[in-house]
C-alpha cells in the first residue's frame, strides 16, 4: 500500500512508536492523513488500519465519531462560526446568516469553487471575542459582517496563507524525536505488571477451586 | 469591590508577549519547582500538594491530592492531562495551553515524579491548533533543556511526555471518555464502577487524570509550599482560580481571582475584571459554571466564588465559566441553544440522554419559533425529569456519565425564573424579542 507519500508514511510510523499500544495513534494518524489529502480518504483509512493492526471499518467507525475528521471532501478553508451561548449573546446568529447569504451555501456546505466550507460550530473556547470565528482551526477573532467579507476576500486571494495553512494541517511543529526513556526499563515494568496480573488470576482460580472443592465436599456430606 | 492583592499563580507570565517561550519561562523562575521537587522524595512532593488543598479545576472539583493518593500500586501507571476544554463559554485552559505551555509541562513533570508513572500524556483539544503547536514546541525545548526525558537535571529521574491531539468531541472531556479516545476509540464514557481511573484507567492500568489548570498550579505550590497555597481562599476552596467571563459584560476575559474572597458581583462589575454590564444594562441571569450549571438571578450576585458556597446555593462553579445575560436576552432562545448543544454532543450510549436531548431541543425550538403550546412547558419539565429524576441539585443520574443529567439545568432554570417569557412566546405565537 502506498497511499501515504514517503514523508507522511515515515511520520506515521514515528507517531505509532510514541504509544504503549499502536491503536492510540489513530487520531494523530487521521490528522496526518488530512494534512496530506485535506480530508480522510478511504485509501488513507486502509493504510492507517494496516499501520495499527486493525480493520478499515474500525478506523472509519472511530473517525466518524469526531467532528474534525472529515470522511468527505472539505474546502481549502474550513470557516467555523461559533453559535453557542457566549457567541449567541454576541450576535452569532446574524453573522452566520450573513455568511450563508454571501457565500451562497448553508452551514455544512462548500462553495462551488471548492474554496470554503462553512460550519455552524459549537463553542470554540474563544468567548472573549464574539462571535468567534476560526479558519482551519486558527482563530481570526470576533467578526462583524464587514470583517467577515474582508476575511473571505483575503482567503480567496491567498493573502492569509502564511498564517493559515490549508485544511488538514493542524500542527506545524513536529515532535523532536521519539521516546527517550529506556525501552528495557519500560518493558521490565510491563513484564512485572503481567506477572502480577497472572499471579492475581492464579490466586483467584485457586480460591475458586478451593471454594468449589469445599462445596463439593459439603454436597457429598449431605 | 473586592480585588484582593494575592499573587497571580497561573497567569503570572501572561503580561509578556513571549510568555510561551523557554527563554521567558526560565527568566521568570521556570523549572525551579521541578528542580526543588527532584531534591525531595516523591512522597514529600505529594504531601506538599495534599497540604495545598488544591481542588481539581476541570469541573468536578475533586481534591487533587486525594486523587493522587488513590492511584493503585502497580508497576505500570500513567498520568493523563485533560486539556479537552469544551464546556461552552470556558476558555481558561485554552489560554494556559497557548500562553504558558512550559508551566503546564513543569506541572506534569512534578506530578509524574511524585506518582512515579511510566509515561505521561497531554491530551489537548483538537481545535486548539495554536495551542498544540505551542505545547509541542515547548516540549521540544524542555527535552533539549534536560527537563524531560532521561536523567532529568542529573537526578536519575526519567519520564517521557507525549502531546496528543483530540479531534472534536465535547464528551471527551469526561475522563473515562478521554481515556477511550486516547486509546484510539470513540469517546464513549466507561460504565462505572470502577469509578476512578486511579484504579482502572488507560489500557486498564492505574491512571491519574488531571486538568490543565490543576497541573499549572503545581510548580507554584512546590516553590512556595502547600501551606502558602492553602492560606489563600477560604474553607475548602484554597488558592486562586481562573474564571472565564463572557456574555454581556464590557470586558469579557479570563481573570485569576482569589477564591471565596471574590464574589460574582466583583467579577462582573470591578473595573479590572468585567467592568459592568455593557450599555449600562442590568443582569437578568448568570450561568455560574458552564452550561451544565443551573442559573442564578441578580439577587445571587453577592455569592462568593467558592466551591461550597455556590454548591450550597444550588449550582456549581463547574468549569470556571461565568456567562452574563442582560435584560435584552431571550431566555427561551438561550435555553434552546444550550440544549441544541447537548443534543449534538450526546455520545448516544444512553437512551435518556440521546433521545431526551433531541426531544427537548425540538420542543424548545417550536416554542421559540412561536409554534409552542402551553402544555409544552410542563412537557419540557417532564422529559427533563426522565433524564434527571426529581430535577434536584446535584442531579440524580440515569446515564453512564454526567452529560445527560446536565441537560435539564438550563431548561429547569429558565422555566423556573422566566416562565412568563415561555408563556408569552406561546400566547403571541412569536419570540417577543424578535
Amino acid at each position: 500500500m502506498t497511499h501515504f507519500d514517503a514523508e507522511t508514511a515515515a511520520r506515521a510510523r514515528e507517531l505509532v512508536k510514541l504509544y504503549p499500544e499502536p491503536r492510540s495513534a489513530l487520531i494523530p494518524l487521521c490528522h496526518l492523513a488530512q494534512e496530506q489529502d485535506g480530508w480522510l480518504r478511504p485509501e488513507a483509512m486502509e493504510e492507517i488500519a494496516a499501520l495499527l493492526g486493525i480493520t478499515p471499518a474500525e478506523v472509519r467507525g472511530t473517525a466518524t465519531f469526531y467532528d474534525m475528521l472529515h470522511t468527505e471532501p472539505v474546502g481549502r478553508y474550513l470557516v467555523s462560526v461559533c453559535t453557542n451561548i457566549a457567541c449567541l449573546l454576541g450576535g452569532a446568529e446574524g453573522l452566520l446568516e450573513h455568511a450563508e447569504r454571501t457565500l451562497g451555501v448553508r452551514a455544512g456546505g462548500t462553495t462551488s469553487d471548492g474554496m470554503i466550507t462553512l460550519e455552524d460550530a459549537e463553542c470554540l473556547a474563544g468567548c472573549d471575542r464574539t462571535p468567534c470565528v476560526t479558519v482551519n482551526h486558527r482563530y481570526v477573532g470576533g467578526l462583524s459582517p464587514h470583517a467577515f467579507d474582508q476575511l473571505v476576500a483575503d482567503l480567496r486571494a491567498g493573502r492569509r496563507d502564511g498564517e493559515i495553512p490549508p485544511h488538514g494541517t493542524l500542527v506545524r511543529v513536529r515532535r523532536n524525536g521519539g521516546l527517550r526513556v529506556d525501552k528495557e526499563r519500560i518493558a521490565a515494568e510491563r513484564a512485572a505488571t503481567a506477572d502480577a496480573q497472572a499471579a492475581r488470576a492464579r490466586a483467584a482460580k485457586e480460591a475458586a477451586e478451593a471454594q468449589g472443592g469445599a462445596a463439593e465436599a459439603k454436597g457429598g456430606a449431605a | 469591590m473586592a480585588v484582593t492583592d494575592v499573587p497571580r499563580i497561573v497567569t503570572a507570565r501572561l503580561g509578556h508577549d513571549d510568555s510561551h517561550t523557554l527563554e521567558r519561562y526560565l527568566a521568570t523562575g521556570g523549572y525551579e519547582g521541578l528542580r526543588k521537587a527532584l531534591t525531595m522524595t516523591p512522597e514529600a512532593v505529594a504531601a506538599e500538594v495534599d497540604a495545598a488543598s488544591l481542588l481539581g479545576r476541570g469541573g468536578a472539583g475533586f481534591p487533587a491530592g486525594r486523587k493522587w493518593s488513590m492511584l493503585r500500586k502497580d508497576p505500570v501507571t500513567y498520568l493523563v492531562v485533560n486539556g479537552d476544554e469544551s464546556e461552552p463559554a470556558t476558555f481558561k485552559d485554552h489560554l494556559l495551553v497557548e500562553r504558558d505551555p512550559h508551566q503546564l509541562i513543569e506541572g506534569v513533570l512534578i506530578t509524574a515524579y511524585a506518582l512515579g508513572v511510566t509515561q505521561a500524556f497531554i491530551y489537548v483539544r483538537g481545535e486548539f491548533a495554536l495551542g498544540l503547536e505551542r505545547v509541542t514546541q515547548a516540549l521540544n525545548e524542555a527535552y533539549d533543556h534536560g527537563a524531560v526525558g532521561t536523567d532529568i537535571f542529573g537526578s536519575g529521574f526519567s519520564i517521557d511526555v507525549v502531546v496528543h491531539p483530540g479531534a472534536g468531541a465535547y464528551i471527551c472531556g469526561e475522563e473515562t471518555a478521554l481515556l477511550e479516545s486516547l486509546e484510539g476509540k470513540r469517546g464513549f464514557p466507561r460504565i462505572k464502577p470502577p469509578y476512578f481511573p486511579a484504579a482502572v484507567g488507560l489500557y486498564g492500568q492505574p491512571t491519574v487524570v488531571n486538568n490543565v489548570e490543576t497541573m499549572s498550579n503545581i510548580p507554584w505550590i512546590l516553590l512556595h509550599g502547600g501551606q502558602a497555597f492553602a492560606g489563600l481562599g477560604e474553607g475548602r476552596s484554597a488558592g486562586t482560580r481562573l474564571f472565564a467571563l463572557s456574555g454581556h459584560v464590557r470586558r469579557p476575559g479570563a481573570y485569576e481571582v482569589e477564591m471565596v474572597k471574590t464574589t460574582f458581583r466583583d467579577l462582573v462589575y470591578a473595573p479590572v475584571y468585567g467592568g459592568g454590564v455593557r450599555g449600562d444594562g442590568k443582569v437578568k441571569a448568570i450561568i455560574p459554571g458552564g452550561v451544565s450549571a443551573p442559573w442564578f438571578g441578580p439577587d445571587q450576585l453577592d455569592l462568593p466564588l467558592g466551591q461550597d458556597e455556590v454548591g450550597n446555593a444550588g449550582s456549581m462553579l463547574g468549569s470556571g465559566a461565568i456567562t452574563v445575560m442582560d435584560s435584552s436576552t431571550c431566555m427561551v432562545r438561550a435555553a434552546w441553544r444550550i440544549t441544541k448543544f447537548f443534543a449534538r454532543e450526546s455520545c448516544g450510549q444512553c437512551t435518556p440522554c440521546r433521545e431526551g436531548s433531541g426531544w427537548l431541543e425540538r420542543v424548545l425550538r417550536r416554542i421559540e419559533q412561536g409554534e409552542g403550546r402551553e402544555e409544552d412547558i410542563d412537557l419540557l419539565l417532564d422529559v427533563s425529569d426522565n433524564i434527571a429524576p426529581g430535577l434536584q441539585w446535584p442531579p440524580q443520574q440515569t446515564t453512564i456519565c454526567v452529560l445527560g443529567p446536565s441537560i435539564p439545568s438550563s431548561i429547569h432554570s429558565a422555566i423556573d425564573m422566566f416562565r412568563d417569557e415561555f408563556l408569552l412566546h406561546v400566547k403571541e405565537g412569536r419570540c417577543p424579542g424578535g
Side-chain angles (χ1 to χ4, degrees), chain A residues 178-194:
Chain A
L179 300 184
R180 315 279 174 92
V181 175
D182 188 10
K183 286 186 180 59
E184 282 170 24
R185 195 194 90 186
I186 307 245
E189 288 182 359
R190 297 242 153 79
T193 291

Side-chain angles (χ1 to χ4, degrees), chain B residues 42-91:
Chain B
E43 294 76 19
V45 174
E48 205 63 62
V49 173
D50 199 38
S53 305
L54 170 65
L55 300 181
R57 301 296 198 235
F62 196 81
R66 233 179 90 210
K67 208 175 214 183
W68 291 12
S69 70
M70 287 162 55
L71 188 69
R72 183 165 58 79
K73 293 270 170 284
D74 195 289
V76 176
T77 57
Y78 296 106
L79 170 64
V80 176
V81 176
N82 185 343
D84 192 51
E85 181 177 63
S86 337
E87 178 77 13
T90 314
F91 51 99

Side-chain angles (χ1 to χ4, degrees), chain A residues 18-21 23-28 31 54 58 60-62 64-69 82-86 88-90 93 120-129 134 136-139 165 169-182 185-186 188-193 196-197 200, chain B residues 72 74-76 78 88-91 94 118-119 121 125-129 132-133 136-137 139-140 143-144 150 158-162 164-169 171-172 181-188 203 205 246-248 252-253 278 287 291 323-325 329 333-334 336-338 340-341 344-345 347:
Chain A
L18 295 178
Y19 297 92
E21 303 201 1
R23 184 162 177 169
S24 279
L26 190 144
I27 288 176
H31 282 306
I54 58 179
E58 285 172 303
R60 176 180 288 273
T62 307
T64 51
F65 184 81
Y66 295 96
D67 291 345
M68 291 175 68
L69 303 177
C82 171
T83 57
N84 208 310
I85 187 70
L88 178 89
L89 301 175
E93 290 179 320
D120 170 8
E122 292 301 344
C123 183
L124 300 166
C127 324
D128 50 350
R129 291 190 297 163
T134 62
N136 295 345
H137 308 295
R138 306 277 155 172
Y139 289 81
T169 301
L170 191 62
V171 185
R172 291 168 296 189
V173 178
R174 307 279 160 249
R175 185 190 171 96
N176 187 4
L179 300 184
R180 315 279 174 92
V181 175
D182 188 10
R185 195 194 90 186
I186 307 245
E189 288 182 359
R190 297 242 153 79
T193 291
Q197 277 167 352
R200 275 201 298 275
Chain B
R72 183 165 58 79
D74 195 289
V76 176
Y78 296 106
T90 314
F91 51 99
H94 182 197
T118 309
Q119 196 176 343
F121 299 89
R125 182 174 173 187
E127 285 89 343
F128 295 169
L132 280 158
E133 284 188 3
T136 306
Q137 179 68 35
L139 193 61
N140 285 343
Y143 266 105
D144 291 344
T150 49
S158 303
I159 186 79
D160 271 308
V161 179
V162 171
H164 184 89
I171 193 61
C172 291
S181 181
L182 183 51
E183 290 182 6
K185 301 169 191 160
R186 296 184 147 225
F188 283 154
Y203 316 116
Q205 293 303 112
S246 66
H248 294 144
R278 60 154 202 203
I287 311 176
V291 299
T323 305
V324 175
M325 298 185 275
T329 312
R333 181 166 291 213
W336 162 72
R337 184 58 186 86
I338 291 167
K340 180 180 167 194
F341 163 78
R344 273 174 145 184
E345 297 296 334
C347 82

Side-chain angles (χ1 to χ4, degrees), chain A:
Chain A
M1 263 181 293
T2 52
H3 179 69
F4 283 161
D5 59 38
E7 195 214 325
T8 305
R11 280 174 55 203
R13 285 191 294 273
E14 282 168 19
L15 281 169
V16 174
K17 282 191 214 148
L18 295 178
Y19 297 92
E21 303 201 1
R23 184 162 177 169
S24 279
L26 190 144
I27 288 176
L29 292 194
C30 289
H31 282 306
L32 195 62
Q34 293 200 144
E35 184 174 333
Q36 181 184 288
D37 299 329
W39 61 290
L40 205 46
R41 305 185 77 100
E43 306 89 306
M45 286 191 268
E46 281 176 28
E47 192 149 337
I48 291 168
L51 280 160
L52 302 181
I54 58 179
T55 66
E58 285 172 303
V59 176
R60 176 180 288 273
T62 307
T64 51
F65 184 81
Y66 295 96
D67 291 345
M68 291 175 68
L69 303 177
H70 299 269
T71 50
E72 284 177 16
V74 184
R76 182 174 170 85
Y77 302 105
L78 174 67
V79 175
S80 310
V81 178
C82 171
T83 57
N84 208 310
I85 187 70
C87 289
L88 178 89
L89 301 175
E93 290 179 320
L95 181 66
L96 186 66
E97 275 168 28
H98 173 83
E100 289 182 329
R101 201 170 52 244
T102 53
L103 292 173
V105 293
R106 300 298 300 270
T110 302
T111 55
S112 53
D113 60 0
M115 285 292 272
I116 291 170
T117 297
L118 181 68
E119 184 182 56
D120 170 8
E122 292 301 344
C123 183
L124 300 166
C127 324
D128 50 350
R129 291 190 297 163
T130 58
C132 180
V133 178
T134 62
V135 179
N136 295 345
H137 308 295
R138 306 277 155 172
Y139 289 81
V140 292
L143 294 185
S144 65
H146 177 72
F148 183 86
D149 295 342
Q150 186 61 49
L151 170 75
V152 170
D154 285 347
L155 289 175
R156 286 217 158 105
R159 285 192 289 267
R160 304 287 292 259
D161 279 4
E163 166 202 354
I164 299 169
H167 182 256
T169 301
L170 191 62
V171 185
R172 291 168 296 189
V173 178
R174 307 279 160 249
R175 185 190 171 96
N176 187 4
L179 300 184
R180 315 279 174 92
V181 175
D182 188 10
K183 286 186 180 59
E184 282 170 24
R185 195 194 90 186
I186 307 245
E189 288 182 359
R190 297 242 153 79
T193 291
D195 287 349
Q197 277 167 352
R200 275 201 298 275
R202 249 193 332 271
K205 197 174 162 211
E206 278 164 20
E209 279 168 4
Q211 215 171 28
E216 228 165 70
K218 209 170 154 190

Side-chain angles (χ1 to χ4, degrees), chain B residues 174 176 188-192 349-350 397-402:
Chain B
E174 200 271 359
T176 63
F188 283 154
R190 293 177 180 170
I191 292 172
K192 289 96 181 162
Q349 282 192 105
C350 312
Q397 204 153 328
T398 55
T399 50
I400 292 172
C401 84
V402 294

